[in-house]
């Protein structure tokens, strides 16, 4: 069974965007593994509470992620 697990900052995706992640990921697995994989593909979108994750030892918040890039 193909399995994908997306961990995203809580509150940063709409329900429509989560559905797109699930649908498009399932489509990709079916493209790679064949249509037989579609019925058993599991896609999980987990929302991580704000401040519950980081990169390079720095705790990130949703506000930081949603800021436009500097420059």
């Amino acid at each position: 069974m193909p399995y994908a697990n997306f961990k995203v900052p809580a509150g940063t995706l709409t329900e429509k965007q989560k559905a797109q992640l699930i649908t498009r990921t399932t489509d990709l697995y079916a493209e790679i593994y064949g249509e037989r994989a579609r019925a058993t593909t599991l896609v999980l979108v987990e929302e991580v509470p704000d401040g519950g994750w980081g990169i390079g030892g720095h705790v990130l918040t949703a506000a930081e992620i949603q800021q436009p890039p500097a420059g």
Side-chain angles (χ1 to χ4, degrees), residues 1-6 21-44:
M1 163 180 19
Y3 172 75
N5 185 350
F6 292 93
L21 270 176
I22 293 167
T23 301
R24 292 171 76 175
T25 301
T26 301
D27 289 345
L28 179 61
Y29 275 125
E31 180 183 321
I32 293 169
Y33 289 107
E35 256 329 289
R36 69 186 184 282
R38 185 177 299 281
T40 60
T41 296
L42 173 63
V43 181
L44 180 62

Side-chain angles (χ1 to χ4, degrees), residues 28-71:
L28 179 61
Y29 275 125
E31 180 183 321
I32 293 169
Y33 289 107
E35 256 329 289
R36 69 186 184 282
R38 185 177 299 281
T40 60
T41 296
L42 173 63
V43 181
L44 180 62
V45 180
E46 291 184 89
E47 292 190 292
V48 179
D50 201 29
W53 55 287
I55 297 174
H58 174 73
V59 176
L60 292 173
T61 64
E64 288 179 291
I65 295 299
Q66 294 176 325
Q67 289 179 353

